[in-house]
């Protein structure tokens, strides 16, 4: 996945570690990175969840490590896509997203049949995350 940088060059998607407050490592954060001007930015699909996680940690967090892909569906999809191919193409990520949505909808039906409100809420959150579809080519 790629997008055009402000400098005019191509930014590529990478999974990076974000260090917050010098104490907390947040692994597998998808970012766009430009090798020409060294600009990096968190991909828009995951930014709300990353800022939410940082807000939960507070101003004085305890030392620790988090796997961002465990709390964000896009990050998890991109970890899976990169496991299969170093620089996945947009159509490959879209196919994984479609498969993930179908799986989540199946789980939603099961959660509803069990009347498990916590599980239903979790699946709704995951479906909302994956519905952020502004992926770049």
């Amino acid at each position: 996945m790629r997008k055009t940088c402000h400098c005019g060059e191509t930014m590529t998607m990478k999974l990076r570690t974000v260090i917050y407050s010098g104490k907390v490592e947040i692994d597998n954060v998808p970012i766009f990175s430009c090798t020409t001007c060294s600009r990096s930015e968190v991909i828009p699909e995951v930014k709300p969840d990353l800022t939410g996680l940082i807000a939960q940690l507070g101003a004085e967090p305890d030392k620790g490590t988090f796997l961002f892909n465990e709390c964000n569906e896009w990050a998890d999809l991109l970890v899976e896509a990169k496991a299969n191919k170093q620089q996945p193409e947009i159509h490959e990520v879209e196919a994984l997203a479609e498969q993930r949505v179908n799986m989540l909808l199946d789980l939603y039906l099961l959660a509803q049949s069990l009347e498990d409100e916590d599980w239903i809420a979790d699946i709704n959150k995951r479906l909302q995350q994956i519905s952020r579809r502004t992926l770049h080519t």
Side-chain angles (χ1 to χ4, degrees):
M1 296 177 17
R2 298 167 177 78
K3 83 175 244 182
T4 303
C5 184
H6 294 293
C7 74
E9 295 298 318
T10 300
M11 298 177 90
T12 56
M13 193 276 300
K14 298 177 188 278
L15 295 168
R16 291 273 173 88
T17 299
V18 171
I19 299 181
Y20 171 64
S21 196
K23 296 179 183 176
V24 179
E25 291 183 5
I26 306 170
D27 295 331
N28 294 327
V29 177
I31 58 110
F32 284 115
S33 181
C34 178
T35 56
T36 302
C37 71
S38 299
R39 179 181 168 85
S40 293
E41 61 186 62
V42 176
I43 69 168
E45 293 84 359
V46 305
K47 195 168 191 175
D49 295 313
L50 180 61
T51 56
L53 175 59
I54 288 171
Q56 286 178 349
L57 293 171
E60 296 293 326
D62 293 329
K63 188 173 182 162
T65 301
F66 293 89
L67 293 174
F68 187 65
N69 58 299
E70 290 182 352
C71 62
N72 181 274
E73 284 300 305
W74 272 117
D76 197 48
L77 277 173
L78 295 171
V79 166
E80 185 178 335
K82 286 194 67 89
N84 297 331
K85 186 175 181 183
Q86 186 58 31
Q87 197 56 244
E89 298 297 326
I90 189 75
H91 70 279
E92 295 166 324
V93 175
E94 289 292 336
L96 283 173
E98 185 177 334
Q99 291 171 3
R100 183 69 56 92
V101 166
N102 289 335
M103 179 203 68
L104 289 170
L105 291 173
D106 289 342
L107 290 174
Y108 187 86
L109 290 173
L110 178 59
Q112 271 188 323
S113 72
L114 297 172
E115 299 179 4
D116 188 330
E117 296 301 320
D118 290 337
W119 195 15
I120 291 170
D122 179 61
I123 294 169
N124 275 327
K125 176 184 153 202
R126 294 168 68 183
L127 284 166
Q128 288 172 358
Q129 289 173 340
I130 208 164
S131 70
R132 297 178 194 142
R133 299 180 84 79
T134 58
L135 289 177
H136 304 269
T137 57

